[in-house]
Amino acid sequence: MAFRTDPIIFVTSFYKIAGWLYETATFDYEINMKTKDAFKSTGKYLRELSIVVVGIAITFSISNWISYRNEQKNLERYLEMVKMELEDNLKIVQDQFDFYDRTGTFAKYLYFSGKQENVQADSLAKYYDVMRDLKYMIYQTSAFEMLKSSGSMRLIKDKKQLKSIMDCYNLLERAKNRGEKEMNLKENVLHSIIEENGANEQVFDLRKPENKRLFNHFSIYTASEGNFRDGVEQIKKTLSMF
């Protein structure tokens, strides 16, 4: 039996199929349009995000550069202050060295004189200040302390220079402590002798028998000038690095 189709059913079915295809096509078109719009929106967002990220990166780079420049300027200022302080300390420690060097020379003279009566009056006059003066050393540290507390020491690229600076202040402190011990002992001896004999220039006449104790004290060579010589040499070496 031949297959037959009702024209009305056929037409109805055709229109249904055509309608379904149209709806499908329309849906796909809308999806594609939405997808394109989505891609456009995403691309626009990424472009805007990239601009923001680049802007932030540039801002941070400029901020870091400015911070680095400021740190370097501060470091240069601190180092210049330390240099000036070391120049002042060089004068101080040089003066101390000269004094203790003369003290050592006087001690050797008395030692080789052997006896009080062998001491010459002109030699006592020459070294009168060595016997009389109490020379305590006070050196400067404020610039170095500022450098340490600022945190800028980490920025010093020349580590030899940094070590040399630190060595200067360590040697200055060592010389200061050595000098204090010697001056304290000298002060105690002078104080006790002045209490016994009174305060007058005759106290320093080491030829007199009653000043035997003072003669013995000044005859002892302590080699303290070496500490101050080390300080002088270290500071000169460090200043040459600036």
Side-chain angles (χ1 to χ4, degrees), residues 30-92:
E30 291 176 352
I31 290 297
N32 289 334
M33 291 302 293
K34 290 180 179 179
T35 302
K36 289 180 180 179
D37 290 341
F39 276 120
K40 287 181 180 179
S41 298
T42 302
K44 182 179 180 182
Y45 170 76
L46 289 175
R47 284 194 301 273
E48 292 176 352
L49 180 61
S50 298
I51 292 172
V52 172
V53 171
V54 171
I56 293 173
I58 292 174
T59 301
F60 272 111
S61 297
I62 294 174
S63 177
N64 289 337
W65 180 80
I66 293 174
S67 177
Y68 173 78
R69 288 289 299 167
N70 289 336
E71 286 183 335
Q72 288 299 313
K73 287 181 180 179
N74 288 335
L75 175 61
E76 290 173 4
R77 185 170 69 254
Y78 288 131
L79 286 177
E80 183 61 27
M81 291 170 63
V82 168
K83 179 184 177 183
M84 294 173 63
E85 185 171 85
L86 286 176
E87 289 172 345
D88 291 338
N89 283 334
L90 178 59
K91 297 174 184 178
I92 293 171

Side-chain angles (χ1 to χ4, degrees), residues 74 150 194-195:
N74 288 335
S150 70
I194 290 173
E195 278 192 337

Side-chain angles (χ1 to χ4, degrees), residues 203-237:
V203 170
F204 299 106
D205 187 352
L206 303 186
R207 297 170 298 177
K208 295 181 174 295
E210 59 269 25
N211 293 332
K212 175 69 173 177
R213 183 183 174 190
L214 201 58
F215 173 84
N216 292 337
H217 172 78
F218 286 120
S219 297
I220 300 173
Y221 174 62
T222 61
S224 295
E225 72 276 8
N227 293 270
F228 298 96
R229 182 190 299 111
D230 292 342
V232 169
E233 292 175 353
Q234 183 61 39
I235 292 176
K236 287 181 177 179
K237 172 187 172 183

